[in-house]
């Protein structure tokens, strides 16, 4: 007898080859990009600046090198996805929730960075209250 429960959990026919299609597409894209880089390099650069022609594997190596130098190896979060999610969350907030969110962010910023932004002088603090008090205390001594 067949166990029909396993078909509802992704064990069936559809779940078996779910990685095959993206794998085949990615192999085709990498192959096409390698051929594109190789053909553009060999068509343009030897005649323009006099460099040697390259092969397919060297073109793939150039793609990897460019990805490392300019692409960041994919370590940063997806910029558009992260900003889009934040925008969607912002648009779904009520004005009161937005005000609360801004207040929380400001308090977090003040708590985390205030000590770094306000450098203290060796003799005391540079807060506006202490500087105004010291100038008021100096004024009567200057008039005497």
């Amino acid at each position: 007898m067949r166990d029909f429960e396993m078909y509802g959990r992704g064990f069936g026919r559809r779940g078996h080859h779910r990685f095959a299609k993206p794998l085949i597409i990615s192999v085709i894209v990498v192959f096409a990009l390698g051929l594109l880089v190789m053909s553009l390099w060999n068509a343009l650069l030897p005649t323009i600046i006099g460099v040697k022609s390259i092969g397919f594997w060297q073109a793939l190596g150039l793609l990897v090198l460019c990805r490392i130098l300019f692409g960041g190896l994919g370590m940063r979060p997806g910029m558009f996805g992260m900003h889009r999610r934040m925008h969607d969350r912002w648009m779904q907030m009520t004005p009161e929730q937005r005000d609360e969110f801004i207040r929380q962010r400001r308090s977090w910023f003040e708590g985390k960075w205030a000590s770094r932004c306000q450098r203290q002088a060796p003799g005391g603090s540079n807060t506006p209250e202490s500087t105004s008090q010291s100038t008021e205390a100096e004024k009567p001594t200057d008039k005497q």
Side-chain angles (χ1 to χ4, degrees):
M1 226 186 204
R2 277 187 153 166
D3 185 13
F4 290 105
E5 285 294 318
M6 63 187 236
Y7 288 107
R9 296 185 190 140
F11 293 111
R13 195 169 183 217
R14 299 182 119 193
H16 184 66
H17 297 290
R18 66 179 177 207
F19 295 114
K21 188 175 181 180
L23 182 66
I24 291 171
I25 290 172
S26 63
V27 167
I28 290 171
V29 166
V30 167
F31 183 75
L33 284 174
L35 284 177
L36 180 69
V37 168
M38 181 184 74
S39 60
L40 284 173
W41 180 284
N42 292 337
L44 298 174
L45 291 178
T47 57
I48 295 174
I49 58 175
V51 296
K52 292 182 181 180
S53 297
I54 63 171
F56 176 75
W57 295 110
Q58 292 169 327
L60 283 181
L62 278 173
L63 281 174
V64 170
L65 180 65
C66 288
R67 178 67 181 172
I68 291 170
L69 294 176
F70 305 116
L73 290 175
M75 297 298 180
R76 59 189 170 174
M79 289 179 57
F80 299 111
M82 183 175 65
H83 292 290
R84 185 176 317 204
R85 283 191 305 269
M86 189 61 213
H87 178 74
D88 291 342
R89 289 172 72 190
W90 181 262
M91 295 307 291
Q92 292 175 357
M93 288 182 188
T94 63
E96 294 83 16
Q97 290 173 333
R98 290 179 185 176
D99 291 339
E100 177 65 22
F101 177 78
I102 291 171
R103 188 188 61 74
Q104 287 177 349
R105 294 294 283 207
R106 283 185 181 156
S107 66
W108 176 83
F109 179 78
E110 290 170 357
K112 185 164 182 81
W113 297 101
S115 62
R116 294 182 187 181
C117 294
Q118 297 174 354
R119 301 284 180 183
Q120 291 186 354
S125 65
N126 285 339
T127 59
E129 295 83 18
S130 64
T131 54
S132 64
Q133 290 172 357
S134 63
T135 55
E136 290 173 6
E138 292 173 2
K139 286 180 185 177
T141 56
D142 290 336
K143 293 179 181 177
Q144 290 178 357

